[in-house]
Amino acid sequence: MLNGQKIITIEEHYWDRDLSARYQGVESFRDAEINKRLFDLGELRLREMDESGIDLQIISHGAPSTQKLPADIAAEVARGVNDRLAAAIALHPTRFRGFAALPTPAPEAAADELERCVREHGFVGAMIHGLTNEKFLDDKMFRPIFARAAALDVPIYLHPAVPHPAVMDAYYKDYMQDFPMVIRAAWGFTVETATMAIRLILSGIFDEHPNLRIVIGHMGETLPFLLWRINQALSRPGNKSNSFRDIFCKHFWITTSGNFSNPALICSMMELGIDRILFAIDWPFVPNPPGVEWIKGTPICAEDRAKVLHGNAERLFRL
Ligand code: MN
C-alpha cells in the first residue's frame, strides 16, 4: 500500500526449473542473486514485496519463456510450466496472479493453452517473449493466438527477448563482449519489441480483432516518444492508408517496468493518457524499492497515481 492505495505490479518474473533445464547455460549467464529470486515463488518474493508495500504481483516467466522450444514438445512443456505456476499462485491467491506461457512454436496449441489457463487457472492473459523461431508475431501462422485472446477478451503482453541472430551480428557484435546488456535491456530488447509492436499494427490485425488488447513494458519501448513521427511518416504519399496513432492509442497499454523516468512518464501521459499506464517493476532484474520510491515522488496528482498503481490494472485485467 502507498498512502492507502493498493500497489499492483505487472511485469514480475520467475523461472520454472524444468523449462530452465531445457535452455543450456541460461542460469550461468545470470547473477546468483537474480537466479535465487527467479526460482522463488514464496518467502523471498513475498518478503521483498512486503518491504516495498507491493500488494499483488502479476507473475510471468522470464525470457525467452516457451518461445524457443521445438514445436513438437512446446505444448506439453508449456502445460507443465503453467500448471506449476498456477499451483504456486494458489498458495498465495491474494498476492499473486499469473500470465500464461504459450507454446508459440505450435500456434493452435498455444491458442488452446491460453484458453485453458484463463478458464482453469484464472490467468489474466499471456506474455510472449520476442521472436518465435526467428519469426515476428505478425506472421500469419500466429493468428490463432490473437484470435483466441480477442475471443477470451484477455490482453497479450509483448515482452522483449534477445534480437534475431542476424541483427545481433550486424548491429551489436562489436560491443556485445564488453557490454552484454547492449543486446538486452540497454537497447536490443527495446528495438526488438518496438519493432514487434509496429509490425503488428502494420499487419492489419487490429482490423480483424477490434477488441484485441496489447501490453508493452518499459514505458512503451520508446513508442510514445516517437508516436508523432511514426504517424506522420506513415501518412506520407506512397504508404497504404493507415491510422497508426489511433490504433496504438486504442489497442495498447504500457507499463513502467524498469523505466522509472519522470520525463518518459510525462511524455507517455501526454500521448496516451494516464488510463493506459500501469505500474510494474521488472523484478528481480530491477529491485522493488527504486520503483516504489519513484512513483511515490512523481509529479502527478493523487488520483492519477492511484490509476497507475492499481486502478488501470484492475480494469484491464478485471482483478
Ligand atoms: Mn521483464
Side-chain angles (χ1 to χ4, degrees):
M1 294 281 216
L2 177 62
N3 302 329
Q5 299 293 335
K6 195 171 180 180
I7 303 182
I8 302 175
T9 53
I10 307 298
E11 193 197 305
E12 318 310 318
H13 302 298
Y14 81 108
W15 264 80
D16 179 271
R17 286 205 182 271
D18 175 77
L19 183 55
S20 185
R22 292 169 189 273
Y23 292 126
Q24 254 189 342
V26 73
E27 281 166 56
S28 55
F29 172 78
R30 287 191 300 254
D31 179 79
E33 286 299 312
I34 298 280
N35 273 326
K36 193 165 80 186
R37 284 166 176 76
L38 285 171
F39 289 122
D40 182 283
L41 282 167
E43 201 186 331
L44 176 56
R45 181 177 297 258
L46 286 165
R47 190 190 336 131
E48 295 198 352
M49 287 167 67
D50 290 340
E51 284 166 2
S52 288
I54 294 168
D55 296 280
L56 177 71
Q57 272 193 347
I58 301 186
I59 299 176
S60 50
H61 203 280
S65 188
T66 42
Q67 271 59 80
K68 302 270 187 261
L69 292 171
D72 58 333
I73 61 159
E76 192 193 332
V77 173
R79 264 197 300 278
V81 169
N82 289 320
D83 288 348
R84 287 186 289 277
L85 177 60
I89 292 170
L91 297 176
H92 306 281
T94 61
R95 306 302 304 278
F96 299 151
R97 297 294 295 270
F99 280 115
L102 301 183
T104 50
E108 282 289 350
D112 291 343
E113 181 63 4
L114 173 61
E115 179 156 357
R116 191 186 75 90
C117 288
V118 170
R119 292 194 193 288
E120 288 180 22
H121 294 323
F123 285 4
V124 300
M127 181 177 281
I128 301 178
H129 300 254
L131 305 175
T132 291
N133 300 325
E134 304 182 6
K135 282 200 175 70
F136 280 106
L137 289 172
D138 56 290
D139 191 289
K140 287 270 189 278
M141 73 180 281
F142 301 114
R143 283 297 200 273
I145 300 172
F146 293 103
R148 200 70 62 91
L152 292 164
D153 207 15
V154 292
I156 300 284
Y157 200 127
L158 302 182
H159 187 276
V162 291
H164 189 288
V167 170
M168 289 202 275
D169 189 58
Y171 283 27
Y172 304 121
K173 75 164 180 287
D174 300 335
Y175 297 102
M176 279 163 55
Q177 198 72 33
D178 287 346
F179 301 97
M181 278 301 129
V182 77
I183 57 165
R184 297 182 173 83
W187 185 239
F189 278 2
T190 309
V191 174
E192 207 74 356
T193 316
T195 304
M196 181 85 86
I198 291 168
R199 289 185 59 117
L200 272 180
I201 293 174
L202 299 183
S203 77
I205 197 168
F206 298 102
D207 295 332
E208 290 169 39
H209 303 295
N211 69 327
L212 182 60
R213 291 172 295 162
I214 302 291
V215 185
I216 52 177
H218 316 109
M219 210 70 90
E221 311 284 7
T222 71
L223 292 174
F225 183 83
L226 294 170
L227 200 51
W228 193 95
R229 177 162 164 80
I230 296 170
N231 194 66
Q232 197 280 334
L234 285 175
S235 61
R236 292 180 201 172
N239 291 280
K240 200 169 142 185
S241 163
N242 71 91
S243 45
F244 188 90
R245 166 190 285 278
D246 294 342
I247 294 171
F248 187 75
C249 292
K250 176 172 177 228
H251 293 274
F252 282 70
W253 277 253
I254 68 171
T255 81
T256 66
S257 58
N259 194 353
F260 309 139
S261 156
N262 282 336
L265 175 69
I266 302 303
C267 168
S268 300
M269 287 170 66
M270 291 176 77
E271 283 291 9
L272 302 177
I274 196 73
D275 292 347
R276 295 282 163 154
I277 305 171
L278 302 104
F279 190 52
I281 299 288
D282 208 356
W283 191 89
F285 302 104
V286 178
N288 294 327
V292 174
E293 279 307 308
W294 166 71
I295 196 73
K296 213 193 284 187
T298 46
I300 58 177
C301 68
E303 193 181 333
D304 283 354
R305 193 175 349 264
K307 287 181 173 182
V308 174
L309 282 174
H310 64 95
N312 294 339
E314 285 162 348
R315 217 170 41 251
L316 180 61
F317 301 113
R318 296 193 194 86
L319 299 172

